[in-house]
Structures are given as C-alpha cells and as structure tokens.
Amino acid sequence: MAGYVQPHTDPSGAEGVGPGPQLVSTAPGLEVLVGPLLNYRRMSNELGASTWHGSVLVVTRPGQETPELTLTPVGAVDGSTEKASFTAGANRFSADKLYEDINKAFWRFLIHLPFQEFESRWQYDIKGLTYADKSKTEKPQVFVVPSISQSMRILFHSCNGFSVGTDVDAWSGPALWNDVLRMHAQKPFHVMLGGGDQIYNDGVRVDGPLKPWTAISNPHKRREFPFGEKMRDDCDEYYFNNYVRWYGQAPFSTANSQIPQVNIWDDHDIIDGFGSYTDRFMRCAVFRGIGGVAHKYYLLFQQHMAPPKSTFTTDAPQTTSVGPEGTDVDPEQLKKTFVMTNDFQDPSFIVGQKPGPYVEERSRSIYAQLGARIAFCGIDARTERTRHQINYPETYRMIFDRLNKEFSANKELKHLVLLLGVPIAYPRLQWLENILSSPIIGPIKFLNKRFGFAGGLFNQFDGSVDLLDDLDDHYTAHQHKHERRDLMHMLQNFSKEHSVRVTILGGDVHLAAIGRFFSSPKLGIPAEQDFRYMPNIVSSAITNKPPPQAVANLLAKRNKIHHLDHDTDETLLEIFDRDPRPAGQANGVVSNGVANGETNGDIDVKKKTADTNHATMPSRNYAIICESYPSATGTSSAAAPQPQAVPSSATNGDAPQQTSAPVDRKANTRKPMHVGEQGAGTEHPAANGLTATGLCGRYGLDVSLRVEISPSDREGHTDGYGFSIPALEVAAAV
C-alpha cells in the first residue's frame, strides 16, 4: 500500500497517485456514462490573440485509451455577415485523466479558440464516442462564442433539482430547460451561470446510505456516529450515481453540452442546510465526511478539476491534515484508484488561504471576463460558511484585490456581475427568526422529542426548527448583518473607484424578484451617476417547486424601504405587473404553447399571486442578461428599436447616456427610479429576452426574467418581465 501514495505517471500520461483499476477496455469505442459537459473558464491574450478558454468533460467506463477531441469552426451566427473568414481551422486536443476507479473514469479536455470579428459557431467531436446507455445517440455538439467586440449573452439559473418529497411529475420535471433551448435556438447564449444547487443530493438521508444515521433519535449518538470507510464508499457511490442520473437527463443534458457553464455551489450540492446548523453538530464525523464526498464530485462534474487524493473518514482522520508529501493520502481509498496530482490550476480561480470549518478544503471563488465589457465574479459562499459567518475576512480581501487588479488593467470593462448564490437585497424576516428561536418553541421541541409532536417542524439533524437553516443562510439574517454591510461598502467603494456598475445575482429562495440598493433620495443622485445603485436579480428556481402563494405574498408585504446606512436605501422593484400568461390571454385555461406559436393541448394557468403583490413571483424561472445596445458585429436580427426620447449626456465621450428625470425626494422607490425601469414588467421592451432595447445608452444591460406560465406544461413555456440597467457615470456622483 505504501506505493499508492508515491506520485507516478499513469499510462495516459497523467501524473498522480494510486495504481488505478488495472483494466483495459475491449469496447470498440469510447464508452461514455455521462457527458459531454461544456464549461467556460476565461479570456486571455496568452496565445498572441484574444482567446476563449473552456473545458469539456466526459465520464467513461474505466480502462479506455486517452480520448481525442476535434474543435472545428462552423460559421457565423448571422448568415449574412460579410467576410466571415475564420482566423483558425480545426484543432485537436487530448484529454487529461482526472480520476479513475473500477467503475468510471473522468476525462477533461482543456480547449481554446481565438475570438473572431463576428459571432461564431464552433463544433466539437469526441473520437469514437458511444454511450454505455444504448438508448442515447451521439451527435456533434455546437456552441456559440461572441465576437471580439461583443459582451456575452448570459443565462442565469439556480436551484436545478427537486426537494425531497416533491411530486416530480406534477411539476413536469425539469421542463424550463425546454424553454432555455428554445430561446437559445432563437438567439444563442454564450454562457450560463449556475448560482448553486445545480443538483439536489438531499436524498442521501432519505433513500441513501445516511438513512440509518438520520433515523437515530438521540442527537448525542448521532453526533458521535463514525464515518468509516464503508459509509464513505457508500456515499461516494450515491453522489456519483445521482450526478450521472441528473446530468445525463434531457433537456438539461442538452443544454449543458451546448451552453458553456460557470458554476458555484450551495447547500443542496452537498445536503440541505450544510453550514447553517449548529457548530457542534456541523463538526460531527458524518457531516465532515459527506462534505468531503460532495466536494469531490463538485470539483469533478462542475469544475472539471481533479479531486483531493482522499476525503475524510474516521478510519483515517489524518488524511485531511496538511503536511509532507503523502500524509494526506488514505491508502484504503486509493485501492484500484488513480487521482491526478499535477492538475492545471486555472487562473480564473480565487483560492482561499485556509480550509473551511466543515468542508476541509479551501474555497474557490471565480473571476472571468465575459466578453468585451462585462466581468464576472462568483463568490464561493458555502465552503467557509458557518451559522455566524459566510466568508473569512481574508477571502473578501483576496477577491477585491483581484477585482481591483483586473479593472485597473482593463478600462473597457463597464459592468461587474457578482454572483452570491443567496439574495442580499431581500425582505427582512427577523421577526420570524425571533419567533423560531424564542423560548416559546421550547415546549414544542420537548413534545417533539418525547412524542413526535409537530414532527415536520423540526429538522432531522440537530433538532432545530427546520426553517431556521434557510433563514440563517440569508445575508439579511441578523447574525450576518455586519458582514453584509461590510460587503456592500466594499462593493460601493469598488464601483466608485472604477466607475463600474455592479449587478448582483442571487438564487436559493425559489421565487423571482428584483432587489436594489441605491443612494437615499435626499442626496438627489440619479441612478446613472449613483455608484450605490446595485440591482440584485433574484432568479430561483429553474426546476424546484416554488413556495406557496401565501409565502410570496407575505414577503411582498414585508417589502419595506430599508436603510443599509445613512446614505444607502434598499427595496424590491415592483416589476410584476400581472401573472405570467401567453400574450393576449387572461388567467384560465389557455392553449399550450400559444406564447411561441405552438398548439399542443390545453394547460391550466392558475393565479400565482395576490393582486397587491407586484414584488415577488412564486413560479419557476430563469434570467437573461445582455447588453442593451446592439453590437455592429452582432446578429443582425437583434437590431434595437429607437429608445424613447429622453435627455442625454455624453458618457466618457462615447455613446449618449440617457438620463433620468431629477430625483423626486418623496417618490416611492419601490416604483421605477430611472429610464431603464420605466414600464418594468411584461410590457418593457427587454421582456422578450431576444431584442436589444437601446435603453440606457451604449453600455446598458437588458434583463429578462423568464417565468413559467404553468407547471402542467411539459414544454415549460415562459412569459417575460423586463427592465434595463444603466452603466455608471461616476464623475458626477457625490
């Protein structure tokens, strides 16, 4: 066994540890279990020209020869583009073996291509690819890259799975991915941002290997329960099979092979509430163990990276310690297994300085430029999370050091899209936290422990009120108040220094909303000049069921105008002018597919919210974000209408920047505040998600929330709610 821990070169050419399964496949082709999965990584100039970097992952049977991929230019997206001559031809790439055991092997292709003067299509083919599941057929995969002068057209989603106990058929499965593919066919997405919970692994405690442990009624015995090699191996098998099932399921599998992904993780990628239970319970062996297993497959499936050599077990607890080469390897876990150790560390990652408290690995936040004028940062807000902390202070410092470096070096960047996973501009629920944490719950908890009374109210882990872990996840939770304020102040300083508009993305809450931070009206700063104006696009869930209508209505009633500090206010925009429905139809029974010119039976469209609720939408959804000004080298069909006539002023000597009317210091800031928010909702020109509006000047952004019309529609048709975001002209700010 001692030889397992010594690095060596695998027959595939990869350097790693472990002997591997010692198998040779006799299949005529490359036997694929799941994939290909396509990721976007970053832009660079390191190859002498502006270069797109990405990766492709396939999971195969063990014992395969090193796979090969051919990347070929197909043509311009706009067929009428003149002189659509590519600067590069076909290119071949060999795969890196990231991991292999007796059941599977993970192969990753690092691919790159030069940006063109036009929006372009590229095809990748993997030599000899055949599916182990013979019902699946291989086909060439095509993705789209923006022109060198375009910013990326962004799809944002979160909560891509179902909670335990959900009637999946009643919600037509992951139907909204059909709508994503329809929109992609009409106007291609260049990247899709996953805001966490790309998969739900909660079933591990219901019908998986943690079921016996969950059934232990005594919390002390549950905390002291060992996480040995047998349980680790069983959990490893469960997480892998769950990924194969979910990532191999159409229509999601079609999208993740043709729209490049960038993902951060959240609790359900591990298990519901991970990080937000009591510290004493989170440090138990079982939670440490499943944190390690979930992290392993998160790295492999979602980040296309080699996993750690070993993960935590009580049989070999030293495997998580840092020391001389080899001390972090459990020989038992490396039997018939190979793990790559010299994996390429992509510069897109911002790696934390120390391991998290419960996932004993370092956090991985992400920075990537999304085309010409938009940058992206996704904060890993799960690895370091506890009930009282979301990220370490030094992690925030590293992230903002990286942002300042990137934006100082590139003055063409106009927008930062910041992905937090959980909303940060959101109604307060401290009154509910106070009730659920108060002594009044004590007698109910005693009755639950002794007699099972109100069993659904308490979680099966630490015995706390089940809803508390969700509330503790929120940035608006009382224990995160100071961290939230400090983060917003860092963002404000960054925005002001670089004259960059910050737009925040959040998911998790299973409804759609638009939050905004902005300067107090008493300061009289229009949004175009307001570095404090930061919209928070809340889009959740693309697959999971929404909360009851009553919950959404309650949140809308709690939509007060809050004060982050003396100069910064926050509230939700009242964007939902009506319930989603096909154009021209009232609530009731409508023809399935009317919104997209199809008829395929009848669907039942039910009322979503109270007539007074215009701020929260409890219906499955996703978001589209793109530049509001049509690029001269973009798709010709995306030409923008003439924007409404408004006063304008120059923005850095470039395009006219539309200016809102003078700030009304007594106006209701839950209503539209600037030109891009006027008419927000279904009648806004950005609502269709396909046409550049021309609003908010050359550097504005259009946003479309695509909201499901009816869960009984298996094709997942949506209705759109739109608004636009102005770029920042900070010179006039105070």
Side-chain angles (χ1 to χ4, degrees):
M1 287 190 187
Y4 292 0
V5 305
Q6 299 303 319
H8 62 91
T9 301
D10 180 84
S12 69
E15 182 177 309
V17 294
Q22 303 295 310
L23 297 173
V24 176
S25 174
T26 58
L30 183 70
E31 287 189 292
V32 172
L33 300 173
V34 66
L37 307 176
L38 175 64
N39 273 17
Y40 171 68
R41 288 181 171 242
R42 59 191 165 93
M43 296 172 59
S44 82
N45 291 307
E46 61 192 46
L47 299 177
S50 186
T51 303
W52 181 102
H53 295 266
S55 59
V56 175
L57 182 86
V58 289
V59 185
T60 71
R61 300 282 192 199
Q64 308 283 329
E65 293 186 3
T66 302
E68 292 185 356
L69 178 149
T70 301
L71 180 64
T72 308
V74 175
V77 171
D78 182 0
S80 66
T81 300
E82 296 182 3
K83 299 180 181 179
S85 177
F86 282 84
T87 60
N91 199 358
R92 292 182 180 176
F93 299 88
S94 292
D96 300 311
K97 184 192 291 185
L98 303 178
Y99 177 90
E100 186 178 33
D101 63 26
I102 60 173
N103 296 311
K104 70 270 188 185
F106 287 79
W107 298 92
R108 190 250 347 258
F109 302 90
L110 290 175
I111 63 174
H112 56 81
L113 56 89
F115 282 92
Q116 305 297 306
E117 295 295 331
F118 49 88
E119 187 180 15
S120 55
R121 297 187 192 276
W122 297 77
Q123 176 177 304
Y124 65 94
D125 301 272
I126 298 174
K127 182 179 179 180
L129 189 153
T130 59
Y131 283 101
D133 180 352
K134 301 304 180 184
S135 66
K136 296 182 178 180
T137 57
E138 191 272 334
K139 61 180 180 180
Q141 304 291 353
V142 176
F143 63 98
V144 175
V145 175
S147 75
I148 197 170
S149 61
Q150 284 180 293
S151 295
M152 292 188 181
R153 177 170 155 82
I154 301 166
L155 163 69
F156 168 56
H157 69 89
S158 68
C159 303
N160 180 40
F162 289 102
S163 297
V164 170
T166 302
D167 185 343
V168 175
D169 288 337
W171 291 92
S172 303
L176 261 64
W177 287 104
N178 290 316
D179 197 73
V180 167
L181 293 174
R182 278 192 297 272
M183 298 294 285
H184 182 59
Q186 294 177 77
K187 190 172 182 182
F189 297 109
H190 302 125
V191 68
M192 64 178 182
L193 305 178
D197 302 338
Q198 279 71 247
I199 186 171
Y200 276 56
N201 287 313
D202 307 338
V204 69
R205 68 174 177 83
V206 176
D207 54 12
L210 294 192
K211 183 178 181 180
W213 172 76
T214 307
I216 298 173
S217 59
N218 186 306
H220 175 75
K221 291 183 178 179
R222 201 182 301 127
R223 284 196 303 271
E224 299 301 317
F225 198 89
F227 189 82
E229 172 60 20
K230 175 64 167 60
M231 180 175 277
R232 185 211 63 81
D233 189 54
D234 290 344
C235 287
D236 191 284
E237 181 181 14
Y238 180 91
Y239 277 79
F240 172 74
N241 288 337
N242 200 36
Y243 264 103
V244 170
R245 177 187 65 85
W246 190 250
Y247 272 68
Q249 177 180 350
F252 176 50
S253 60
T254 306
N256 63 38
S257 65
Q258 298 183 10
I259 308 173
Q261 307 169 81
V262 180
N263 296 324
I264 64 169
W265 69 340
D266 206 15
D267 58 334
H268 293 281
D269 296 284
I270 312 170
I271 196 171
D272 184 23
F274 190 96
S276 292
Y277 299 114
T278 59
D279 180 74
R280 183 172 59 170
F281 184 74
M282 282 302 311
R283 293 186 183 279
C284 77
V286 171
F287 260 58
R288 292 174 67 189
I290 61 172
V293 173
H295 180 260
K296 169 184 175 178
Y297 286 112
Y298 167 66
L299 290 184
L300 285 165
F301 277 99
Q302 298 195 44
Q303 301 298 346
H304 301 182
M305 291 179 57
K309 303 168 192 174
S310 303
T311 62
F312 173 83
T313 68
T314 47
D315 293 342
Q318 75 280 2
T319 60
T320 58
S321 63
V322 177
E325 182 68 33
T327 59
D328 56 349
V329 176
D330 177 7
E332 192 67 26
Q333 294 182 44
L334 288 181
K335 287 183 177 179
K336 299 183 179 180
T337 297
F338 171 83
V339 183
M340 183 189 219
T341 56
N342 64 333
D343 195 8
F344 171 70
Q345 294 300 310
D346 196 276
S348 60
F349 289 111
I350 305 169
V351 182
Q353 294 180 349
K354 61 182 180 181
Y358 313 130
V359 178
E360 295 169 63
E361 302 292 337
R362 295 189 291 171
S363 64
R364 288 185 175 271
S365 299
I366 299 171
Y367 174 86
Q369 189 173 328
L370 305 183
R373 288 166 292 277
I374 300 176
F376 166 78
C377 181
I379 296 183
D380 178 350
R382 188 55 55 178
T383 302
E384 298 171 357
R385 179 182 289 269
T386 71
R387 203 166 196 169
H388 300 284
Q389 166 193 276
I390 299 172
N391 285 102
Y392 299 139
E394 54 266 36
T395 298
Y396 287 119
R397 286 194 293 271
M398 292 179 67
I399 289 169
F400 279 91
D401 285 348
R402 176 67 177 272
L403 292 177
N404 284 316
K405 176 183 176 182
E406 297 286 350
F407 278 78
S408 295
N410 188 349
K411 299 300 183 183
E412 297 301 314
L413 294 172
K414 305 298 181 184
H415 290 270
L416 172 66
V417 174
L418 179 72
L419 176 53
L420 296 179
V422 178
I424 195 167
Y426 200 66
R428 306 292 194 274
L429 292 174
Q430 190 166 343
W431 59 275
L432 183 56
E433 293 179 65
N434 292 339
I435 292 174
L436 298 180
S437 304
S438 70
I440 196 173
I441 293 295
I444 303 176
K445 185 181 292 188
F446 173 79
L447 292 173
N448 169 261
K449 185 176 180 180
R450 293 293 300 272
F451 308 109
F453 176 77
L457 183 62
F458 300 95
N459 70 61
Q460 297 298 306
F461 294 139
D462 64 353
S464 298
V465 177
D466 194 42
L467 187 59
L468 266 179
D469 68 286
D470 292 315
L471 296 177
D472 287 341
D473 266 359
H474 286 210
Y475 281 92
T476 52
H478 72 278
Q479 62 265 41
H480 300 316
K481 179 179 179 179
H482 296 296
E483 184 174 353
R484 174 180 184 266
R485 182 196 59 205
D486 292 346
L487 173 57
M488 291 310 304
H489 285 167
M490 286 187 282
L491 287 169
Q492 289 177 0
N493 293 334
F494 166 81
S495 177
K496 183 178 181 180
E497 178 181 351
H498 297 283
S499 192
V500 166
R501 177 70 67 208
V502 176
T503 297
I504 303 169
L505 307 181
D508 184 71
V509 293
H510 299 181
L511 49 75
I514 302 295
R516 300 111 88 230
F517 294 93
F518 49 90
S519 288
S520 172
K522 70 179 184 291
L523 298 176
I525 306 174
E528 293 83 358
Q529 300 171 2
D530 184 7
F531 62 87
R532 299 184 186 92
Y533 176 76
M534 299 182 190
N536 183 185
I537 301 168
V538 182
S539 181
S540 170
I542 194 169
T543 297
N544 207 354
K545 67 178 182 179
Q549 181 184 139
V551 173
N553 293 337
L554 174 63
L555 286 168
K557 288 182 179 179
R558 301 293 303 174
N559 182 30
K560 311 297 183 182
I561 298 172
H562 295 281
H563 309 288
L564 177 75
D565 55 37
H566 186 262
D567 293 328
T568 309
D569 291 351
E570 56 180 290
T571 192
L572 299 182
L573 171 65
E574 295 186 346
I575 190 174
F576 301 108
D577 51 323
R578 60 165 172 79
D579 276 3
R581 62 174 185 259
Q585 299 291 322
N587 289 333
V589 177
V590 299
S591 180
N592 179 20
V594 169
N596 287 279
E598 304 170 9
T599 55
N600 189 26
D602 288 337
I603 59 174
D604 185 16
V605 179
K606 296 180 179 178
K607 191 169 179 60
K608 305 279 189 182
T609 62
D611 293 338
T612 56
N613 179 4
H614 302 290
T616 60
M617 178 57 69
S619 188
R620 297 192 292 186
N621 62 90
Y622 62 92
I624 300 171
I625 306 161
C626 54
E627 289 187 316
S628 63
Y629 197 87
S631 169
T633 52
T635 307
S636 61
S637 61
Q642 290 296 316
Q644 56 186 302
V646 293
S648 63
S649 61
T651 305
N652 299 329
D654 290 316
Q657 166 85 346
Q658 294 164 274
T659 305
S660 300
V663 175
D664 182 351
R665 303 186 183 207
K666 296 182 179 179
N668 179 0
T669 50
R670 290 184 287 263
K671 303 294 184 181
M673 297 172 55
H674 60 80
V675 168
E677 290 182 355
Q678 293 297 328
T682 56
E683 300 302 317
H684 193 279
N688 64 22
L690 297 170
T691 307
T693 66
L695 293 171
C696 296
R698 181 178 293 276
Y699 304 123
L701 296 180
D702 286 338
V703 178
S704 175
L705 285 171
R706 305 299 306 179
V707 178
E708 183 178 48
I709 296 170
S710 172
S712 65
D713 175 16
R714 303 198 75 83
E715 293 302 312
H717 291 96
T718 61
D719 198 3
Y721 300 80
F723 78 107
S724 299
I725 301 170
L728 179 61
E729 188 180 1
V730 80
V734 295

